[in-house]
Amino acid sequence: MHFLDQAKIFIKSGWGGGGAVSFRREKYIEYGGPDGGNGGKGGDIVFEAVPGLNTLIDFRYTQHFRAQRGHGGSGSNKTGAGGDDLVIQLPVGTQILADDDERTLLADLTRAGERIVFLKGGDGGRGNASYKTSTNRTPRQHGTGWPGEEMYVWLRLKLLADAGLVGLPNAGKSTFINAVTNAQAKVGAYAFTTTRPQLGVVRHKTREFVIADIPGLIEGAAEGAGIGDRFLGHIERCRVLLHLVDANDADVATSYRIVRDELEAYGAGLTDKPVVVALNKIDTLDDELIAALSAELEAASGAPVIAISGASGIGVDWALDKLLEAVGEGHEQVADDDGDEETVEWSPI
């Protein structure tokens, strides 16, 4: 399945049905009169966040959505049937933005099962029976039904994850997420093997949490260099970031600062999040060099540095311990070795 995290769509709620003009003709009733019913209400446009979706690819092929209009009224004071609401299913974490500036946030669906009535259908028109008065006993006027609402909106997906992986291209992010989750991220000996965000579920010490991997950042990503910073929105909601630095880089301190500068340029509070700094790919280095590089990276980051290797598994459990500590107690325990199971908070995977 292709990954798509933004789409522009047109939505329109249903028109109200027209009111009826009718007069009753009944045997043995001396006086007739108007009996035209009102029109039915038009259908609403409803957005719903559902589990099991993590892409907006469906909206690449269908961009126009129109709810059903209300049915017209009829004689015998019968009100027309209302139009069916149109429910548009979205991945959890989808934001709905105004079309004019693509910045104004209109709605944010952050929980599975959350529903909002975004556009209301038009009310039905009045039938001629409702116009009857003591001086107007045979009214022939009626309402045609109120129009629905319509607009273009942008859908923007920000994946929900507890931890996010950041780093330069080839820092070993894909190898790490493959090692600790059931994800199957592409791994290669060249830059930008990851071209779209990846999600995986980590199971560690009877706990589960979701981790997200985004394409690597390079210097100038905030200005569009490389893949740019468009995927950073997928880690805005993360509780903690795992910053991987390749131990084989010529200057690990510079590698760290490049990514941090791009996070700062992007904004959205990314630099205010807790960060676990890890020196990755240490399996090919000796202990003395690992210690020297760790000290250099710690001086640049101002934080303790974990030496790990995603490929060999060295230090991975230590890194997961730190992430789990930062994620906090927001997740319930999962099945333990004895088979006891507790409720697990849903994750969009």
Side-chain angles (χ1 to χ4, degrees):
M1 178 184 293
H2 294 289
F3 181 82
L4 187 70
D5 62 349
Q6 58 184 15
K8 181 180 179 180
I9 64 173
F10 173 80
I11 52 177
K12 182 177 182 179
S13 58
W15 276 61
V21 176
S22 175
F23 296 90
R24 69 175 185 264
R25 301 286 190 270
E26 300 178 47
K27 193 175 182 179
Y28 305 122
I29 294 181
E30 183 176 2
Y31 300 105
D35 67 347
N38 298 331
K41 177 183 174 296
D44 299 332
I45 294 291
V46 180
F47 287 116
E48 179 182 18
V50 298
L53 295 179
N54 56 15
T55 176
L56 298 174
I57 188 63
D58 292 339
F59 301 99
R60 171 173 291 179
Y61 309 107
T62 304
Q63 293 97 24
H64 292 79
F65 298 87
R66 294 179 173 86
Q68 188 179 45
R69 69 174 301 159
H71 295 268
S74 58
S76 301
N77 292 308
K78 294 180 180 178
T79 300
D84 293 335
D85 295 339
L86 179 59
V87 179
I88 302 175
Q89 296 184 333
L90 302 173
V92 178
T94 301
Q95 295 181 330
I96 304 170
L97 307 173
D99 172 51
D100 51 358
D101 58 2
E102 299 183 41
R103 292 180 179 273
T104 304
L105 182 63
L106 304 178
D108 193 0
L109 304 176
T110 58
R111 300 187 309 275
E114 186 175 0
R115 289 169 61 104
I116 61 168
V117 177
F118 194 77
L119 296 182
K120 289 185 175 295
D123 291 329
R126 294 167 57 187
N128 68 331
S130 65
Y131 288 96
K132 180 182 177 181
T133 67
S134 60
T135 58
N136 184 16
R137 298 187 178 185
T138 58
R140 295 184 178 277
Q141 65 264 46
H142 69 288
T144 57
W146 292 90
E149 302 174 300
E150 62 181 61
M151 65 188 306
Y152 282 93
V153 295
W154 277 93
L155 305 178
R156 182 168 299 166
L157 175 60
K158 292 184 178 180
L159 296 175
L160 298 182
D162 301 299
L165 296 178
V166 296
L168 292 173
N170 274 353
K173 301 186 299 299
S174 296
T175 300
F176 182 87
I177 196 172
N178 287 345
V180 301
T181 75
N182 56 353
Q184 297 180 347
K186 183 178 180 180
V187 177
Y190 56 91
F192 299 116
T193 53
T194 299
T195 58
R196 63 183 180 87
Q198 300 275 353
L199 282 180
V201 177
V202 177
R203 181 184 176 114
H204 183 63
K205 293 185 176 179
T206 73
R207 299 278 298 282
E208 282 188 359
F209 63 93
V210 180
I211 192 168
D213 173 25
I214 65 169
L217 300 172
I218 63 174
E219 188 172 6
E223 285 75 42
I227 297 180
D229 61 1
R230 63 173 297 236
F231 291 122
L232 281 176
H234 295 290
I235 60 173
E236 284 185 24
R237 306 179 198 263
C238 294
R239 302 181 188 181
V240 59
L241 301 180
L242 175 60
H243 188 158
L244 297 182
V245 179
D246 189 346
N248 297 305
D249 288 347
D251 188 340
V252 294
T254 299
S255 298
Y256 171 82
R257 294 192 190 98
I258 288 175
V259 174
R260 293 297 294 180
D261 288 346
E262 297 307 319
L263 295 179
E264 184 176 0
Y266 180 83
L270 292 184
T271 54
D272 298 327
K273 294 182 180 294
V275 179
V276 177
V277 182
L279 183 69
N280 196 18
K281 303 183 182 181
I282 63 167
D283 49 306
T284 60
L285 307 179
D286 58 44
D287 292 342
E288 183 178 353
L289 183 55
I290 292 173
L293 293 175
S294 297
E296 182 180 348
L297 186 55
E298 185 171 337
S301 64
V305 174
I306 301 174
I308 70 171
S309 170
S312 65
I314 300 173
V316 169
D317 285 344
W318 187 13
L320 293 180
D321 288 342
K322 293 296 184 181
L323 291 178
L324 197 57
E325 180 181 342
V327 167
E329 300 297 329
H331 295 269
E332 300 293 336
Q333 286 188 336
V334 299
D336 55 25
D337 295 336
D338 298 328
D340 297 330
E341 293 186 1
E342 302 290 341
T343 302
V344 181
E345 184 175 285
W346 177 86
S347 299
I349 190 67

